[in-house]
Amino acid sequence: MSVTLKQHEPHAASRIAAVGAFRPARRLPNEDIVGPIDSSDEWIRQRTGIVTRQRAGEGETVLSMAVAAGREALERAGLTGADLGAVIVATVTFPYATPSAAAAVAHELGATPAPAYDVSAACAGYCYGVAQADALVRAGTARHVLVIGVERLSDFIDPTDRSISFLLGDGAGAVVVSAADEPGISPSVWGSDGERWETISMTRSLLEVRDEVEGARIGGDASAITGQEGMLWPTLRQDGPSVFRWAVWSMAKVAREALDAAGVGPEDLAAFIPHQANMRIIDQFAKQLRLPDTVTVARDIADAGNTSAASIPLAMHRLLQEDPSLSGGLALQIGFGAGLVYGAQVVRLP
Ligand SMILES: CC(C)(COP(=O)(O)OP(=O)(O)OC[C@H]1O[C@@H](n2cnc3c(N)ncnc32)[C@H](O)[C@@H]1OP(=O)(O)O)[C@@H](O)C(=O)NCCC(=O)NCCS
């Protein structure tokens, strides 16, 4: 005799209920990093729009920053950890390949035994997390999902590498995605382009010191930390101009697809919150999308630097802090980065 399996009761829709953030207090101005890369404050400002980058201090770890951002998001949503049906942490800088950062964060927030896992999608990690949270909530698998983007990129910087070191910052941003009656998150436009797999990369293991090790422009000798002789600490590296071209040409198209998938136009937006990669990329997006002046464009990068998975929720948090009237309006968010991978949605701001 055949039996019908029970299913979760689906929810009509999902929305972002609240956003939280943790910003390290420390700021590193351009002047403090230009020496080892033979650069200048003027060059960095002109080419990237970055004036300072936020950098974690002692004790400000991936876990502590994630917990702080998650806690604020929960408090603002009027929830506790016990209400969560899942915890998703997007990061590429948690030093452990396993166990996940998410399991420790869930425990710290009192969310145990909620399922908890990390997402490795670099600067698209937060948008990937929102895509999953939206699907989990609508399918009825969870009622509330915490999505955190967190990075401590400063642990993986070679200060003599002029391709990326000057871009990066640290921090954490979080949103609670909750069941709703009306859609507050549009269909996600997300994808990957593994043909460009090597454009931005970082191994998570120590590298053996060999002359031919590509990217062995390492600031610190890992043997000092690990006691293992002849090992190099891994650092992030990229082919900046390739990423720049890909971002400007391909990601503007993805942003337009996200607007179409949501059934809205640029004029319907209150805010545009792209991944904070480079001010010139942000300006190009705004131009190509023909965003009217009424749309507030997030430009958190000037102060924060590129914080990878944390950049969009951090920028959203700042926009809402600086202009609370944006609350309830629509925002287009788009993340893109190593993989190469990308993700975009239109969301109603909490
Ligand atoms: C990294 C990035 C800022 C470099 O800017 P760019 O305009 O592409 O610079 P280029 O590498 O083409 O170099 C242009 C010139 O500046 C010089 N230059 C490169 N890096 C420099 C630095 N850090 N400081 C000073 N000069 C630098 C180059 O030598 C070159 O000089 P030349 O014209 O005399 O040959 C830019 O490519 C970028 O932001 N890319 C996207 C990065 C990104 O978003 N990464 C994360 C993905 S999420």
Side-chain angles (χ1 to χ4, degrees), residues 37-39 43 47-48 123 162-163 166-167 200 238 240-241 243-244 275 277-278 280-281 306 336-337:
I37 54 172
D38 185 22
S39 190
W43 190 94
R47 297 285 175 140
T48 71
C123 311
R162 62 193 331 231
S163 80
F166 56 99
L167 295 174
I200 314 170
Q238 72 164 348
V243 179
F244 191 92
H275 167 49
N278 182 319
R280 280 155 62 217
I281 295 176
N306 176 346
F336 50 88

Side-chain angles (χ1 to χ4, degrees), residues 264-314:
V264 302
E267 66 285 355
D268 299 312
L269 297 175
F272 176 49
I273 314 179
H275 167 49
Q276 304 290 297
N278 182 319
M279 200 71 88
R280 280 155 62 217
I281 295 176
I282 296 171
D283 289 340
Q284 278 292 329
F285 279 165
K287 205 165 131 190
Q288 291 190 38
L289 291 170
R290 297 203 175 84
L291 294 182
D293 292 343
T294 50
V295 179
T296 303
V297 178
R299 297 181 186 285
D300 199 32
I301 187 170
D303 166 65
N306 176 346
T307 57
S308 193
S311 89
I312 294 173
L314 273 172

Side-chain angles (χ1 to χ4, degrees), residues 157-160 207 213 215-222 231-235:
I157 286 174
D158 168 5
T160 66
L207 302 170
V213 170
R217 301 155 293 183
I218 310 299
D221 179 351
M231 303 302 282
L232 293 173
W233 190 254
T235 61

Side-chain angles (χ1 to χ4, degrees), residues 130-147:
V130 169
Q132 292 176 41
D134 165 54
L136 288 171
V137 168
R138 281 187 298 103
T141 312
R143 172 169 284 276
H144 305 286
V145 178
L146 181 63
V147 179

